[in-house]
């Protein structure tokens, strides 16, 4: 089939690569978000999906809005059979949804209807889900509400960060997406309406929402930190200093929520239940470092509290 692929961030790259390597489908163009500033130097850069398309000499479209008349005209002229989409980052209006013969096939990193929305992997880890996965479904005007074409499951490991889990789902999801397109071409694809039960939503996690609440349980704090690692990154304030916190380990000790004890065994912080032990931290304006090295250099005293 003639394919126009839409996607933007790194987790969408395995899906595009799988379709480029497929002998059954021809990627005739790629749609991605406009070039944006990134990195320490804030240089304008092409998205990861756009970069891969450039490497293969595939035309890349970067409309400011998918409803732009020029983009709608260009896509109509291409007359794609199907448009797979993975984390594109913009809502598609109905006139655009209507262009491909077999519609837009979305790869979403959850077991729908659980965790519809922008941050399904973060939500699954934060909620303590033991099983998650990825779904392919026919995109419609709703928020991840279209009929499901295929699923793949994945166990959430006890130490998984969002980065870890998303890397695995991006790989298995790419295989699922390619198999879904194969089934559509063969005429064997079967779309099943999503059930009315079990619907949940996962909004994008803001920097403010990534702040750690030390009054919650150690299990909650652990899941929260892993769910926002690597981005936007869990953080707290210690005195006037803002510090990013990497995944922690559990301790059997009990400390008051937010209170800090620096020991030979590590930096312990109290929660609403038992304490946790910090792994690595990143003070504002500095590099990531071992928590114990940082605490000794910062000369934290017994009055230090994380808030």
């Amino acid at each position: 089939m003639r394919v126009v692929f839409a996607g933007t961030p790194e987790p969408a790259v395995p899906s595009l690569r799988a379709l480029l390597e497929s002998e059954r489908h021809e990627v005739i163009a790629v749609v991605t978000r406009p070039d944006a500033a990134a990195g320490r130097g804030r240089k304008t850069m092409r998205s990861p999906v756009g970069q891969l398309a450039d490497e293969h000499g595939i035309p890349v479209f970067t409309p400011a809005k998918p409803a732009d008349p020029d983009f709608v005209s260009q896509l109509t002229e291409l007359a794609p059979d199907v448009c797979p989409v993975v984390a594109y980052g913009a809502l598609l209006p109905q006139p655009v949804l209507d262009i491909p013969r077999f519609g837009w096939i979305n790869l979403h990193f959850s077991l729908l209807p659980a965790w519809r929305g922008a941050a399904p992997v973060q939500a699954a880890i934060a909620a303590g889900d033991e099983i998650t996965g990825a779904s392919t479904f026919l995109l419609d005007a709703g928020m991840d509400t279209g009929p499901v074409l295929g699923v793949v499951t994945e166990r959430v490991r006890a130490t998984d960060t969002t980065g870890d889990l998303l890397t695995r789902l991006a790989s298995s999801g790419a295989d699922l997406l390619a198999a879904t397109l194969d089934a559509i071409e063969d005429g064997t694809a079967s779309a099943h309406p999503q059930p009315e039960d079990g619907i949940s939503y996962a909004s994008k996690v803001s920097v403010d929402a990534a702040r750690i609440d030390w009054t919650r349980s150690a299990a909650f704090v652990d899941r929260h930190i892993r769910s926002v690692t690597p981005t936007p990154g869990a953080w707290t304030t210690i005195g006037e200093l803002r510090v990013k916190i990497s995944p922690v380990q559990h301790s059997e000790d009990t400390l008051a929520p937010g209170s800090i004890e620096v020991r030979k065994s590590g930096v312990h912080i109290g929660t609403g239940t038992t304490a946790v032990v910090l792994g690595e931290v990143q003070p504002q304006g500095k590099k990531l470092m071992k928590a114990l090295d940082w605490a000794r250099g910062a000369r934290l005293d017994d009055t230090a509290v994380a808030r």
Side-chain angles (χ1 to χ4, degrees):
M1 291 189 292
R2 289 166 51 83
V3 170
V4 172
F5 181 90
T8 299
E10 191 64 38
V13 169
S15 289
L16 175 55
R17 184 174 289 113
L19 296 179
L20 290 171
E21 294 172 353
S22 171
E23 297 180 356
R24 301 188 57 173
H25 310 295
E26 178 189 5
V27 181
I28 57 175
V30 160
V31 184
T32 191
R33 299 296 292 152
D35 298 356
R40 286 182 174 269
R42 306 305 294 167
K43 294 182 179 179
T44 300
M45 297 181 63
R46 182 80 100 183
S47 74
V49 164
Q51 292 177 35
L52 181 59
D54 288 340
E55 291 171 8
H56 286 78
I58 297 170
V60 176
F61 298 103
T62 58
K65 295 181 179 180
D68 287 351
D70 286 347
F71 171 67
V72 175
S73 176
Q74 291 167 331
L75 188 62
T76 301
E77 186 174 346
L78 284 173
D81 293 313
V82 67
C83 292
V85 54
V86 185
Y88 169 50
L91 294 176
L92 300 171
Q94 193 62 49
V96 173
L97 294 176
D98 292 338
I99 292 173
R101 182 160 60 109
F102 294 110
W104 292 72
I105 309 302
N106 194 2
L107 172 64
H108 184 73
F109 298 117
S110 81
L111 297 176
L112 292 169
W115 304 128
R116 294 172 176 172
V121 179
Q122 291 91 329
I125 291 177
D129 291 354
E130 295 182 356
I131 298 292
T132 187
S135 307
T136 49
F137 69 98
L138 184 62
L139 206 62
D140 59 16
M143 174 63 74
D144 302 329
T145 56
V148 173
L149 294 158
V151 298
V152 62
T153 60
E154 179 71 36
R155 182 170 294 279
V156 183
R157 300 170 186 170
T159 58
D160 270 339
T161 65
T162 285
D164 297 331
L165 183 53
L166 190 52
T167 295
R168 298 202 305 276
L169 288 173
S171 177
S172 60
D175 294 337
L176 173 65
L177 181 61
T180 299
L181 295 195
D182 290 349
I184 290 173
E185 185 178 44
D186 293 338
T188 60
S190 179
H192 301 277
Q194 295 184 32
E196 295 297 324
D197 296 331
I199 297 172
S200 53
Y201 292 90
S203 302
K204 183 178 180 180
V205 181
S206 67
V207 172
D208 286 343
R211 186 172 190 168
I212 301 167
D213 181 356
W214 297 105
T215 67
R216 304 299 295 265
S217 71
F220 182 96
V221 169
D222 170 34
R223 295 196 306 266
H224 170 76
I225 293 172
R226 289 187 289 110
S227 74
V228 294
T229 300
T231 57
W235 62 279
T236 191
T237 57
I238 299 174
E240 299 298 320
L241 186 65
R242 178 165 162 163
V243 182
K244 277 192 173 183
I245 306 293
S246 291
V248 297
Q249 294 183 338
H250 290 264
S251 167
E252 295 182 357
D253 296 335
T254 301
L255 299 172
S259 63
I260 302 172
E261 284 192 5
V262 181
R263 309 173 186 173
K264 290 182 179 180
S265 59
V267 180
H268 296 240
I269 298 186
T271 74
T273 54
T274 53
V276 295
V277 183
L278 302 187
E280 293 183 314
V281 301
Q282 185 176 12
Q284 194 166 8
K286 296 186 178 181
K287 294 181 179 181
L288 194 68
M289 63 184 74
K290 292 181 179 180
L292 195 55
D293 291 342
W294 166 75
R296 287 169 175 164
R299 297 182 179 178
L300 297 182
D301 58 32
D302 293 340
T303 64
V305 177
R307 302 184 187 278

